[in-house]
Amino acid sequence: MTMSQLLDYAAIFFLCVLTASSLDTFTAAVYEHAVILPNATLMPVSHEEALLLMNQNLDLLEEAITSASKQGAHIIVTPEDGIYGFNFNRESIYPYLEDIPDPQVNWIPCNNPDRFGRTPVQERLSCLAKDNSIYVVANIGDKKPCNASDPHCPPDGRYQYNTDVVFDSEGKLVARYHKQNLFLGEDQFNAPKEAEVMTFNTTFGKFGIFTCFDILFHDPAVTLVKDFHVDTILFPTAWMNVLPHLSAIEFHSAWAMGMGVNFLASNLHYPSKKMTGSGIYAPDSPRAFHYDMKTEKGKLLLSQLASHPHPTAVVNWTSYASGIEAPSMGNQEFKGIIFFDEFTFLELKGVTGNYTVCQKDLCCHLSYKMSEKRSDEVYVLGAFDGLHTVEGSYYLQICTLLKCKTMDLHTCGDSVETASTRFEMFSLSGTFEAQYVFPEVLLSGIQLAPGEFQVSSDGRLCSQKPLSGPILTVTLFGRLYEKDSAPNAFSDLMAQALRVTLIVVIPIVYSLGW
Ligand SMILES: *[C@@H]1O[C@H](CO)[C@@H](O)[C@H](O)[C@H]1NC(C)=O
Ligand SMILES: *[C@@H]1O[C@H](CO)[C@@H](O)[C@H](O)[C@H]1NC(C)=O
Ligand SMILES: *[C@@H]1O[C@H](CO)[C@@H](O)[C@H](O)[C@H]1NC(C)=O
Ligand SMILES: *[C@@H]1O[C@H](CO)[C@@H](O)[C@H](O)[C@H]1NC(C)=O
Ligand SMILES: *[C@@H]1O[C@H](CO)[C@@H](O)[C@H](O)[C@H]1NC(C)=O
């Protein structure tokens, strides 16, 4: 063997070691699962009945996991509530729960199923991961007994948690995350006392995990990205779509872009509750997404992603808009409601134009050019700067271009799914105080527009080419986390008024989910 041959061998050997120890890219899978619900969710059933139902769902998840593995996926995400469904109370969820240990115990349930009591669901998930050599992400329920020595212990003597678990490709439990921001009516579960920041390392990047409604809040979601520098977020969800700004594929892809991370969103498939919309999102663009209100079928998505997505350029979200001289359009403005929040709107009158609309400290600026100004569709530019207080309390700053439902301006902000107006270009910006802004572009038929727009470092959301479909909305969805709690000076009278409002809206939102 010559020296150069030796070197070649060494190089090849070295390469192999390198590939084994770290991957530049990986294949991600998410499964939109058509969940089988229990027959009765308000009456407790036996452990055996509960397990029977969970195994029916696990049979379907097994098909998806096996298929994803055969297609080379390194990791698969399955939805929140994907194993036992939803609509439980504290007692009726109990037979579905298992004690889930801290991952530090270093446990492969598939190899050692009896180590922590009765845990058949964890055993099956672990074996699915191990037998298919794939990371499996699932959502199940955890129970932790407590007693009077703990002043917060619930009267029934246990904490119950909405819990994500991750098993690595050898079947080991590597992550357990208890959902922090429970949705309105999710009374069967407790929130942990402090937000859990759960991360784990792999040969294909660093991962963080959170669940559904968590995405609207700072902890743990923003902390995972900002302070723990994860590459990819795992996101099991049971998301009910709310147009114009909170449809699953729209908002989740916007979060990935706004935060500069990969985002793997797996939703339940339950069209009668408006649950559909899963995707694999990179920071620069969606890689795969699925939205289907027509069939009852589940759907497996796969796509390749960078293990360490390039850091996105720092955006100053107020830079461009704060330099715009705003012409006064005050006399043409009108108010309208989007998901219980009162926006200030301005109608787009021409085929092309520059408009500015302001609310409180936020001024939104839009330049646009339509292909034609249709006589049967109205678009508006809208601004909202305020605390949303319905299914949760969160401070929003939003600039939005949207199509009104009908020609009647009172319908601006109502849910609408189709449009016909094509845009040659748009550029949307705002004087945001919010540091975190999520850029949304949603086309007719609830479609995303991968590669058709970008965000510039001075805070403009701009089209890169004429859009491939008519626009439903182009939105900068800003979150000002610092202002989430209502000010102390809030009078009792206001609080009382709020409670009355809540009593009216809770039944509406309660039927929503998240
Ligand atoms: C629900 O009820 C139907 C009809 O009574 C039965 O066939 C099915 O097995 C039940 N499912 C579960 C999970 O108990
Ligand atoms: C109460 O719970 C603590 C820990 O949670 C445990 O150490 C203790 O033994 C329990 N006491 C009783 C009386 O069960
Ligand atoms: C992941 O790896 C990084 C550096 O390699 C290390 O600092 C960090 O503690 C690891 N995190 C976990 C959760 O293992
Ligand atoms: C963002 O831009 C504005 C306006 O140009 C400027 O006043 C501000 O200092 C910038 N913020 C940062 C963090 O650079
Ligand atoms: C909008 O503003 C841009 C630059 O600020 C200008 O080039 C364009 O002519 C304006 N369009 C209209 C319709 O006023």
Side-chain angles (χ1 to χ4, degrees), residues 320 324 352-354 365 367-368:
Y320 180 81
I324 296 283
T352 174
N354 295 321
H365 182 73
S367 294
Y368 72 94

Side-chain angles (χ1 to χ4, degrees), residues 387 389 393 482-490 498:
L387 186 67
T389 56
S393 180
E482 305 89 292
K483 288 197 182 174
D484 278 0
S485 39
N488 295 334
F490 216 52
L498 239 176

